C-alpha cells in the first residue's frame, strides 16, 4: 500500500501536518508547532473563537487547540532521539519484507480506533532492519494524526528504572502504572533481558494488565519467532559463560527468551511481522540520512 504524502496544499517545512519534530542529542523526540501554525488565522493564537449565540457571542475553543494537544501527546511518548524523525514517510524499504512490514504497520495505524480493542503487532528480525523506526513511526502517527496517547519503552531500561525505584523506596507499580494504562504501549528490545524469574514476572504483570483491559501493546524483538535448533552433542558439558554459549544464546527463539506463558500471550495479543533487509546501521547506502551520518 502506498504511504500518502500528508496534505497537498502543504507548507514546505511540515508538509501540512503543522508540526515539526526536533532531534536533540540526549533527549527524547520533541515536537513543536510549525511556523505556519504559530499564529492561527481563525483565533489569532488565543486558542478561542467567538461564536455568535442568541443576543450575544460565546468563546469556544478553536480547532487549532487539537494541535497543541497532539503535540503534548507526541512529547509524552519518549521516542529516542536516534529515531526522532522516524515516520512511515521516512522509512526507506530495501527489501520486499520491509515494504510489507511498512504497509502492515501503516495499515494498523490507519485503522486504529480508540473506542474498541485493537490487536497489536510484534516486529521480529535481525538488528538494524528498521523495527524501532516502524515502532516510532506508528506511535508518531497515532499521536499526531489520531490523538491517541502512547508510550515507548525499551524493556531493559524499564527494568533498570524499577530496580532503581526499589532503592529509593518506590513500589514497582508506581513505575508500571502509567505504562499499564496508556492506550498504546510499544515495548522495544523484548527478550534482551537475562530472563530471570523476576524479569519475567514484571513483563507478565505489565502485559497481563494491559491484556485484561483490552489495551493495545506493540513489540519489537531481535529474536526469531521459531526456535533454530542449537546443536549440542549428547553428554557435552555446556559452559554458560563461554563465548560459544553466548553466541548460541543469541540464536535462541523469542519463546525461549521470554518463556512459554508470555509467548502464548504474545500470540493472542499480536500479529507477528517479520522485518528483514540490509542492516541500516552497517550498510553505508542504507544508513545514509540517519542520525549517525
Ligand atoms: Zn508548516
Ligand atoms: Zn486557533
Amino acid at each position: 500500500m502506498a504511504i500518502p504524502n500528508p496534505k497537498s496544499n502543504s507548507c514546505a517545512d511540515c508538509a501540512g501536518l503543522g508540526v515539526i519534530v526536533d532531534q536533540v542529542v540526549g533527549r527524547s523526540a520533541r515536537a513543536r508547532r510549525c511556523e505556519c501554525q504559530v499564529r492561527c488565522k481563525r483565533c489569532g493564537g488565543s486558542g478561542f473563537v467567538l461564536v455568535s449565540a442568541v443576543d450575544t457571542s460565546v468563546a469556544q475553543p478553536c480547532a487549532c487547540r487539537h494541535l497543541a494537544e497532539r503535540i503534548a501527546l507526541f512529547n509524552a511518548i519518549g521516542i529516542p532521539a536516534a529515531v526522532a524523525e522516524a515516520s512511515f514517510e521516512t522509512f526507506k524499504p530495501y527489501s520486499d519484507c520491509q515494504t510489507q512490514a511498512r504497509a502492515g504497520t501503516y495499515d494498523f495505524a490507519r485503522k486504529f480506533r480508540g473506542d474498541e480493542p485493537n490487536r497489536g503487532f510484534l516486529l521480529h528480525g535481525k538488528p538494524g532492519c528498521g523495527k524501532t523506526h516502524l515502532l516510532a513511526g506508528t506511535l508518531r502517527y497515532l499521536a499526531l494524526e489520531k490523538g491517541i496517547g502512547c508510550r515507548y519503552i525499551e524493556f531493559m531500561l524499564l527494568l533498570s528504572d524499577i530496580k532503581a525505584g526499589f532503592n529509593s523506596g518506590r513500589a514497582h507499580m508506581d513505575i508500571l502504572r502509567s505504562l499499564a494504562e496508556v492506550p498504546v504501549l510499544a515495548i522495544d528490545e523484548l527478550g534482551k533481558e537475562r530472563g530471570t524469574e523476576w524479569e519475567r514476572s514484571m513483563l507478565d504483570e505489565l502485559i497481563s494488565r494491559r491484556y485484561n483491559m483490552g489495551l493495545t501493546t506493540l513489540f519489537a524483538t531481535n529474536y526469531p519467532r521459531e526456535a533454530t535448533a542449537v546443536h549440542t552433542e549428547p553428554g557435552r558439558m555446556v559452559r554458560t559463560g563461554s563465548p560459544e554459549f553466548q553466541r548460541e544464546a543469541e540464536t535462541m527463539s523469542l519463546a525461549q527468551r521470554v518463556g512459554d506463558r508470555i509467548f502464548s500471550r504474545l500470540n493472542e495479543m499480536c500479529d507477528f511481522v517479520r522485518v528483514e533487509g540490509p542492516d541500516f546501521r552497517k550498510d553505508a547506502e542504507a544508513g545514509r540520512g540517519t542520525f549517525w551520518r
Side-chain angles (χ1 to χ4, degrees):
M1 183 183 308
I3 310 296
N5 233 347
K7 324 302 193 265
S8 50
N9 55 338
S10 42
C11 155
D13 292 334
C14 69
L17 195 59
V19 174
I20 302 285
V21 174
D22 293 317
Q23 186 172 47
V24 185
V25 173
R27 289 186 64 184
S28 57
R30 301 290 294 179
R32 62 183 160 82
R33 208 172 262 261
C34 178
E35 289 295 326
C36 73
Q37 300 286 325
V38 164
R39 221 174 150 72
C40 169
K41 291 184 187 78
R42 292 180 64 209
C43 68
S46 72
F48 288 96
V49 282
L50 289 175
V51 179
S52 50
V54 188
D55 297 335
T56 179
S57 55
V58 289
Q60 277 191 352
C62 177
C64 72
R65 289 187 156 224
H66 265 322
L67 193 58
E69 285 160 15
R70 288 176 184 203
I71 286 172
L73 283 174
F74 179 87
N75 289 340
I77 299 174
I79 290 176
V83 287
E85 289 162 0
S87 68
F88 294 121
E89 291 84 8
T90 57
F91 185 84
K92 297 278 176 280
Y94 287 87
S95 69
D96 288 346
C97 186
Q98 287 169 324
T99 303
Q100 284 164 20
R102 180 176 70 164
T105 50
Y106 174 65
D107 199 47
F108 161 87
R110 205 173 48 85
K111 291 180 178 158
F112 188 93
R113 289 188 51 165
D115 58 352
E116 60 182 39
N118 298 264
R119 192 175 165 78
F121 59 75
L122 183 150
L123 305 175
H124 60 101
K126 293 194 186 73
C129 295
K131 297 185 300 295
T132 300
H133 186 129
L134 288 174
L135 272 190
T138 302
L139 302 182
R140 175 193 182 113
Y141 184 98
L142 291 176
L144 293 180
E145 301 277 349
K146 298 214 155 176
I148 306 283
C150 306
R151 287 284 300 279
Y152 168 95
I153 54 161
E154 265 186 47
F155 189 60
M156 289 251 285
L157 300 183
L158 172 66
L159 291 172
S160 309
D161 286 351
I162 295 174
K163 283 181 194 149
F166 284 150
N167 298 334
S168 57
R170 285 181 77 196
H172 73 279
M173 260 325 281
D174 283 354
I175 294 161
L176 285 190
R177 188 169 293 111
S178 67
L179 299 174
E181 292 172 359
V182 71
V184 177
L185 175 68
I187 301 179
D188 203 355
E189 300 283 10
L190 181 67
K192 201 174 166 187
E193 66 282 1
R194 283 175 305 153
T196 64
E197 270 311 304
W198 178 77
E199 289 173 345
R200 283 185 184 177
S201 72
M202 289 298 120
L203 181 61
D204 195 19
E205 177 165 356
L206 179 57
I207 61 180
S208 295
R209 280 174 183 272
R210 298 187 54 79
Y211 175 87
N212 291 337
M213 288 193 288
L215 298 172
T216 305
T217 313
L218 313 176
F219 301 89
T221 184
N222 294 335
Y223 296 94
R225 178 179 188 168
E226 313 298 343
T228 47
V230 175
H231 35 77
T232 46
E233 290 155 37
R236 186 191 127 200
M237 178 113 72
V238 178
R239 294 179 200 285
T240 54
S242 69
E244 293 76 25
F245 182 82
Q246 295 301 325
R247 270 199 296 279
E248 280 176 5
E250 284 171 15
T251 64
M252 283 168 81
S253 71
L254 180 62
Q256 289 169 313
R257 296 293 304 184
V258 299
D260 290 338
R261 182 185 148 77
I262 290 173
F263 185 69
S264 112
R265 180 55 60 85
L266 294 173
N267 277 280
E268 281 181 75
M269 299 167 76
C270 290
D271 291 327
F272 281 55
V273 179
R274 204 163 62 88
V275 189
E276 297 287 3
D279 186 336
F280 287 140
R281 289 170 227 167
K282 284 189 196 144
D283 186 275
E285 167 61 24
R288 199 166 291 153
T290 65
F291 193 41
W292 306 107
R293 51 197 147 225

PDB file of all heavy atoms in Angstrom, residues 9-31:
ATOM      1  N   ASN A   9      -1.798  20.952  -0.013  1.00  0.00           N
ATOM      2  CA  ASN A   9      -1.559  22.404  -0.050  1.00  0.00           C
ATOM      3  C   ASN A   9      -0.471  22.761   0.969  1.00  0.00           C
ATOM      4  O   ASN A   9      -0.597  23.680   1.748  1.00  0.00           O
ATOM      5  CB  ASN A   9      -2.841  23.166   0.311  1.00  0.00           C
ATOM      6  CG  ASN A   9      -3.401  22.735   1.651  1.00  0.00           C
ATOM      7  OD1 ASN A   9      -3.127  21.643   2.137  1.00  0.00           O
ATOM      8  ND2 ASN A   9      -4.194  23.614   2.259  1.00  0.00           N
ATOM      9  N   SER A  10       0.650  21.964   0.906  1.00  0.00           N
ATOM     10  CA  SER A  10       1.445  21.904   2.115  1.00  0.00           C
ATOM     11  C   SER A  10       2.486  22.979   2.264  1.00  0.00           C
ATOM     12  O   SER A  10       3.004  23.549   1.317  1.00  0.00           O
ATOM     13  CB  SER A  10       2.084  20.530   2.207  1.00  0.00           C
ATOM     14  OG  SER A  10       2.564  20.142   0.960  1.00  0.00           O
ATOM     15  N   CYS A  11       2.808  23.209   3.509  1.00  0.00           N
ATOM     16  CA  CYS A  11       3.930  24.022   3.937  1.00  0.00           C
ATOM     17  C   CYS A  11       5.191  23.182   3.671  1.00  0.00           C
ATOM     18  O   CYS A  11       5.200  21.979   3.909  1.00  0.00           O
ATOM     19  CB  CYS A  11       3.757  24.318   5.418  1.00  0.00           C
ATOM     20  SG  CYS A  11       5.253  24.675   6.310  1.00  0.00           S
ATOM     21  N   ALA A  12       6.246  23.817   3.168  1.00  0.00           N
ATOM     22  CA  ALA A  12       7.457  23.068   2.819  1.00  0.00           C
ATOM     23  C   ALA A  12       8.126  22.477   4.062  1.00  0.00           C
ATOM     24  O   ALA A  12       8.781  21.451   4.000  1.00  0.00           O
ATOM     25  CB  ALA A  12       8.427  23.977   2.084  1.00  0.00           C
ATOM     26  N   ASP A  13       7.952  23.129   5.209  1.00  0.00           N
ATOM     27  CA  ASP A  13       8.633  22.661   6.425  1.00  0.00           C
ATOM     28  C   ASP A  13       7.945  21.464   7.059  1.00  0.00           C
ATOM     29  O   ASP A  13       8.585  20.523   7.488  1.00  0.00           O
ATOM     30  CB  ASP A  13       8.699  23.792   7.462  1.00  0.00           C
ATOM     31  CG  ASP A  13       9.615  24.907   6.991  1.00  0.00           C
ATOM     32  OD1 ASP A  13      10.531  24.621   6.198  1.00  0.00           O
ATOM     33  OD2 ASP A  13       9.403  26.062   7.409  1.00  0.00           O
ATOM     34  N   CYS A  14       6.621  21.502   7.145  1.00  0.00           N
ATOM     35  CA  CYS A  14       5.914  20.462   7.907  1.00  0.00           C
ATOM     36  C   CYS A  14       5.034  19.593   7.016  1.00  0.00           C
ATOM     37  O   CYS A  14       4.343  18.714   7.517  1.00  0.00           O
ATOM     38  CB  CYS A  14       5.056  21.098   9.002  1.00  0.00           C
ATOM     39  SG  CYS A  14       3.650  22.029   8.366  1.00  0.00           S
ATOM     40  N   ALA A  15       5.062  19.802   5.718  1.00  0.00           N
ATOM     41  CA  ALA A  15       4.243  19.042   4.766  1.00  0.00           C
ATOM     42  C   ALA A  15       2.757  19.098   5.126  1.00  0.00           C
ATOM     43  O   ALA A  15       2.004  18.170   4.864  1.00  0.00           O
ATOM     44  CB  ALA A  15       4.718  17.595   4.663  1.00  0.00           C
ATOM     45  N   GLY A  16       2.349  20.185   5.758  1.00  0.00           N
ATOM     46  CA  GLY A  16       0.934  20.378   6.044  1.00  0.00           C
ATOM     47  C   GLY A  16       0.473  19.803   7.371  1.00  0.00           C
ATOM     48  O   GLY A  16      -0.660  19.994   7.777  1.00  0.00           O
ATOM     49  N   LEU A  17       1.383  19.092   8.065  1.00  0.00           N
ATOM     50  CA  LEU A  17       0.993  18.467   9.334  1.00  0.00           C
ATOM     51  C   LEU A  17       0.875  19.507  10.453  1.00  0.00           C
ATOM     52  O   LEU A  17       0.168  19.306  11.439  1.00  0.00           O
ATOM     53  CB  LEU A  17       2.037  17.403   9.706  1.00  0.00           C
ATOM     54  CG  LEU A  17       1.677  16.393  10.782  1.00  0.00           C
ATOM     55  CD1 LEU A  17       0.435  15.596  10.397  1.00  0.00           C
ATOM     56  CD2 LEU A  17       2.841  15.441  11.032  1.00  0.00           C
ATOM     57  N   GLY A  18       1.600  20.628  10.307  1.00  0.00           N
ATOM     58  CA  GLY A  18       1.525  21.680  11.324  1.00  0.00           C
ATOM     59  C   GLY A  18       2.520  21.472  12.456  1.00  0.00           C
ATOM     60  O   GLY A  18       2.570  22.249  13.402  1.00  0.00           O
ATOM     61  N   VAL A  19       3.295  20.380  12.357  1.00  0.00           N
ATOM     62  CA  VAL A  19       4.185  20.004  13.454  1.00  0.00           C
ATOM     63  C   VAL A  19       5.592  19.760  12.925  1.00  0.00           C
ATOM     64  O   VAL A  19       5.767  19.165  11.875  1.00  0.00           O
ATOM     65  CB  VAL A  19       3.677  18.709  14.136  1.00  0.00           C
ATOM     66  CG1 VAL A  19       4.652  18.219  15.180  1.00  0.00           C
ATOM     67  CG2 VAL A  19       2.306  18.928  14.748  1.00  0.00           C
ATOM     68  N   ILE A  20       6.581  20.236  13.660  1.00  0.00           N
ATOM     69  CA  ILE A  20       7.985  19.938  13.352  1.00  0.00           C
ATOM     70  C   ILE A  20       8.525  19.107  14.521  1.00  0.00           C
ATOM     71  O   ILE A  20       8.270  19.439  15.677  1.00  0.00           O
ATOM     72  CB  ILE A  20       8.821  21.242  13.275  1.00  0.00           C
ATOM     73  CG1 ILE A  20       8.263  22.193  12.225  1.00  0.00           C
ATOM     74  CG2 ILE A  20      10.293  20.925  13.020  1.00  0.00           C
ATOM     75  CD1 ILE A  20       8.541  21.821  10.803  1.00  0.00           C
ATOM     76  N   VAL A  21       9.243  18.025  14.203  1.00  0.00           N
ATOM     77  CA  VAL A  21       9.855  17.225  15.269  1.00  0.00           C
ATOM     78  C   VAL A  21      11.348  17.504  15.285  1.00  0.00           C
ATOM     79  O   VAL A  21      12.015  17.433  14.262  1.00  0.00           O
ATOM     80  CB  VAL A  21       9.585  15.720  15.065  1.00  0.00           C
ATOM     81  CG1 VAL A  21      10.341  14.902  16.099  1.00  0.00           C
ATOM     82  CG2 VAL A  21       8.091  15.444  15.152  1.00  0.00           C
ATOM     83  N   ASP A  22      11.863  17.864  16.465  1.00  0.00           N
ATOM     84  CA  ASP A  22      13.282  18.161  16.605  1.00  0.00           C
ATOM     85  C   ASP A  22      14.014  16.958  17.167  1.00  0.00           C
ATOM     86  O   ASP A  22      13.519  16.256  18.043  1.00  0.00           O
ATOM     87  CB  ASP A  22      13.482  19.354  17.559  1.00  0.00           C
ATOM     88  CG  ASP A  22      12.926  20.635  16.965  1.00  0.00           C
ATOM     89  OD1 ASP A  22      13.155  20.867  15.769  1.00  0.00           O
ATOM     90  OD2 ASP A  22      12.250  21.386  17.701  1.00  0.00           O
ATOM     91  N   GLN A  23      15.223  16.777  16.621  1.00  0.00           N
ATOM     92  CA  GLN A  23      16.081  15.693  17.084  1.00  0.00           C
ATOM     93  C   GLN A  23      17.189  16.331  17.903  1.00  0.00           C
ATOM     94  O   GLN A  23      18.020  17.050  17.364  1.00  0.00           O
ATOM     95  CB  GLN A  23      16.649  14.982  15.861  1.00  0.00           C
ATOM     96  CG  GLN A  23      17.443  13.758  16.160  1.00  0.00           C
ATOM     97  CD  GLN A  23      17.794  13.030  14.871  1.00  0.00           C
ATOM     98  OE1 GLN A  23      18.247  13.650  13.921  1.00  0.00           O
ATOM     99  NE2 GLN A  23      17.578  11.742  14.829  1.00  0.00           N
ATOM    100  N   VAL A  24      17.171  16.123  19.197  1.00  0.00           N
ATOM    101  CA  VAL A  24      18.147  16.750  20.076  1.00  0.00           C
ATOM    102  C   VAL A  24      18.905  15.648  20.809  1.00  0.00           C
ATOM    103  O   VAL A  24      18.292  14.797  21.453  1.00  0.00           O
ATOM    104  CB  VAL A  24      17.451  17.676  21.108  1.00  0.00           C
ATOM    105  CG1 VAL A  24      18.493  18.406  21.937  1.00  0.00           C
ATOM    106  CG2 VAL A  24      16.523  18.656  20.414  1.00  0.00           C
ATOM    107  N   VAL A  25      20.227  15.676  20.684  1.00  0.00           N
ATOM    108  CA  VAL A  25      21.049  14.644  21.318  1.00  0.00           C
ATOM    109  C   VAL A  25      20.772  14.617  22.822  1.00  0.00           C
ATOM    110  O   VAL A  25      20.694  15.657  23.462  1.00  0.00           O
ATOM    111  CB  VAL A  25      22.545  14.926  21.046  1.00  0.00           C
ATOM    112  CG1 VAL A  25      23.427  13.955  21.832  1.00  0.00           C
ATOM    113  CG2 VAL A  25      22.824  14.810  19.560  1.00  0.00           C
ATOM    114  N   GLY A  26      20.589  13.425  23.347  1.00  0.00           N
ATOM    115  CA  GLY A  26      20.410  13.282  24.790  1.00  0.00           C
ATOM    116  C   GLY A  26      18.990  13.491  25.266  1.00  0.00           C
ATOM    117  O   GLY A  26      18.725  13.425  26.467  1.00  0.00           O
ATOM    118  N   ARG A  27      18.066  13.739  24.347  1.00  0.00           N
ATOM    119  CA  ARG A  27      16.669  13.927  24.762  1.00  0.00           C
ATOM    120  C   ARG A  27      15.764  13.094  23.866  1.00  0.00           C
ATOM    121  O   ARG A  27      16.113  12.761  22.746  1.00  0.00           O
ATOM    122  CB  ARG A  27      16.269  15.401  24.612  1.00  0.00           C
ATOM    123  CG  ARG A  27      16.928  16.296  25.618  1.00  0.00           C
ATOM    124  CD  ARG A  27      16.380  17.695  25.490  1.00  0.00           C
ATOM    125  NE  ARG A  27      14.950  17.765  25.803  1.00  0.00           N
ATOM    126  CZ  ARG A  27      14.242  18.885  25.688  1.00  0.00           C
ATOM    127  NH1 ARG A  27      14.807  19.981  25.262  1.00  0.00           N
ATOM    128  NH2 ARG A  27      12.965  18.898  25.980  1.00  0.00           N
ATOM    129  N   SER A  28      14.582  12.803  24.364  1.00  0.00           N
ATOM    130  CA  SER A  28      13.630  12.106  23.502  1.00  0.00           C
ATOM    131  C   SER A  28      13.065  13.114  22.507  1.00  0.00           C
ATOM    132  O   SER A  28      13.175  14.327  22.690  1.00  0.00           O
ATOM    133  CB  SER A  28      12.525  11.448  24.331  1.00  0.00           C
ATOM    134  OG  SER A  28      11.870  12.396  25.112  1.00  0.00           O
ATOM    135  N   ALA A  29      12.476  12.585  21.431  1.00  0.00           N
ATOM    136  CA  ALA A  29      11.991  13.427  20.336  1.00  0.00           C
ATOM    137  C   ALA A  29      11.000  14.474  20.846  1.00  0.00           C
ATOM    138  O   ALA A  29      10.129  14.176  21.652  1.00  0.00           O
ATOM    139  CB  ALA A  29      11.330  12.551  19.281  1.00  0.00           C
ATOM    140  N   ARG A  30      11.165  15.728  20.374  1.00  0.00           N
ATOM    141  CA  ARG A  30      10.270  16.814  20.785  1.00  0.00           C
ATOM    142  C   ARG A  30       9.573  17.387  19.566  1.00  0.00           C
ATOM    143  O   ARG A  30      10.221  17.736  18.587  1.00  0.00           O
ATOM    144  CB  ARG A  30      11.056  17.947  21.458  1.00  0.00           C
ATOM    145  CG  ARG A  30      11.829  17.537  22.670  1.00  0.00           C
ATOM    146  CD  ARG A  30      10.959  17.200  23.842  1.00  0.00           C
ATOM    147  NE  ARG A  30      10.224  18.350  24.355  1.00  0.00           N
ATOM    148  CZ  ARG A  30       9.374  18.280  25.384  1.00  0.00           C
ATOM    149  NH1 ARG A  30       9.136  17.115  25.966  1.00  0.00           N
ATOM    150  NH2 ARG A  30       8.745  19.340  25.811  1.00  0.00           N
ATOM    151  N   ALA A  31       8.259  17.513  19.662  1.00  0.00           N
ATOM    152  CA  ALA A  31       7.504  18.136  18.577  1.00  0.00           C
ATOM    153  C   ALA A  31       7.160  19.571  18.975  1.00  0.00           C
ATOM    154  O   ALA A  31       7.065  19.886  20.152  1.00  0.00           O
ATOM    155  CB  ALA A  31       6.222  17.350  18.319  1.00  0.00           C
TER     156      ALA A  31
END
